[in-house]
């Protein structure tokens, strides 16, 4: 979990949960595997990557005029927007 201040994108807090399973891509598609013990308590994102996701969400909120629920992915350290929907339950 990351808490990032919206006004200046300062990282306020990050907490890493223990991860037991992960989805990986291989030659036959995707599959779920156990997370190696050495990675279970490691963050999935760097602080910089988490702030990049926050920037993406803020940019979408500015352009649409409302908060957005986003789905994203990292590929070779590049952030990709997969889809975006307005959050209507806040209105």
């Amino acid at each position: 979990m990351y808490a990032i201040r919206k006004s200046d994108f300062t990282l306020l807090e990050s907490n890493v949960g223990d991860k037991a399973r992960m989805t990986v891509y291989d030659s036959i598609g995707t599959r779920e595997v156990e997370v190696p013990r050495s990675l279970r308590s490691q963050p999935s994102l760097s602080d910089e990557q988490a702030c990049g996701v926050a920037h993406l969400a803020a940019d979408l909120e500015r352009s649409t005029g409302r908060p957005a629920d986003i789905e994203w992915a990292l590929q070779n350290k590049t952030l990709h927007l997969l889809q975006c929907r307005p959050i209507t339950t806040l209105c």
Side-chain angles (χ1 to χ4, degrees):
M1 184 280 304
Y2 293 89
I4 298 170
R5 187 171 35 230
K6 191 175 183 179
S7 62
D8 63 1
F9 300 100
T10 297
L11 180 65
L12 302 173
E13 180 183 355
S14 66
N15 293 311
V16 179
D18 185 55
K19 298 173 285 296
R21 310 279 301 159
M22 66 181 177
T23 303
V24 297
Y25 179 77
D26 64 19
S27 61
I28 60 170
T30 60
R31 61 191 172 96
E32 195 170 290
V33 298
E34 284 191 34
V35 175
R37 277 209 191 284
S38 62
L39 298 177
R40 288 186 178 186
S41 62
Q42 297 298 310
S44 298
L45 298 175
S46 68
D47 293 351
E48 181 180 290
Q49 290 167 328
C51 287
V53 173
H55 274 278
L56 176 61
D59 289 345
L60 289 164
E61 183 175 336
R62 271 192 301 282
S63 68
T64 63
R66 58 187 345 173
D69 175 19
I70 63 173
E71 292 184 23
W72 52 271
L74 283 172
Q75 180 186 32
N76 300 325
K77 299 184 181 181
T78 300
L79 180 63
H80 298 276
L81 176 65
L82 302 178
Q83 66 177 338
C84 168
R85 296 174 292 287
I87 298 175
T88 57
T89 57
L90 299 176
C91 300

